[in-house]
Every structure is written in structure tokens, then in C-alpha cells.
Amino acid sequence: MPHITIQMYPGRDDETKKRLADAILETASRTLERGKEHFSVSIVDVPQEEWKEKVYDKVLKDSNTFIKPGYSM
């Protein structure tokens, strides 16, 4: 079932990432009315100097991005 990928700048410790993944899992499970065992969550650190190419430009073009960035690069 759903796999959720979170991309963000590096710098957060594993405990913080786990809390974020748990919060996203909880919300997704409740919203989609599916058990947590149906989900997986990964967090990918993307260096700031690679963000525009690897993330920003892609999400602007992706028709599946439901919330576009509120910032510009």
C-alpha cells in the first residue's frame, strides 16, 4: 500500500526523523482509514546545494504534487 517519502535538508538526528515519520504515519493511517501496517515511510536527506535540481524543479513540474512549494529558487 502507500509508501511515503520525505525529502529534506540534512541535519536532523534519527530520533527527530522517527518522530516525524510516526506523525506522518498516524495522519496517513487515519485519513486513509487503513492500518499502520499498510504503510512505509522513508526520509531522504538532500544537501542544500542539490535541492533545486533534485527536488524543487521536479515537484514544480509534477502534476501529482498537490501542494507546491511556497518559496522560489
Side-chain angles (χ1 to χ4, degrees):
M1 210 17 198
H3 175 74
I4 300 163
T5 302
I6 301 165
Q7 297 174 296
M8 61 185 185
Y9 288 170
R12 283 126 182 138
D13 59 36
D14 286 347
E15 182 180 319
T16 300
K17 291 177 182 179
K18 178 72 168 97
R19 284 196 321 269
L20 174 60
D22 287 341
I24 296 295
L25 173 62
E26 181 66 38
T27 299
S29 174
R30 187 176 56 250
T31 301
L32 297 178
E33 299 177 347
R34 299 291 297 177
K36 294 176 185 176
E37 68 275 9
H38 296 280
F39 296 84
S40 56
V41 179
S42 63
I43 297 177
V44 178
D45 288 333
V46 179
Q48 184 174 358
E49 61 273 10
E50 298 174 14
W51 187 263
K52 184 175 184 322
E53 176 188 348
K54 289 188 173 180
V55 179
Y56 184 80
D57 291 342
K58 290 180 181 181
V59 299
L60 285 182
K61 295 176 188 174
D62 187 351
S63 63
N64 292 314
T65 300
F66 285 89
I67 301 173
K68 303 283 185 185
Y71 58 91
S72 59
M73 298 193 86

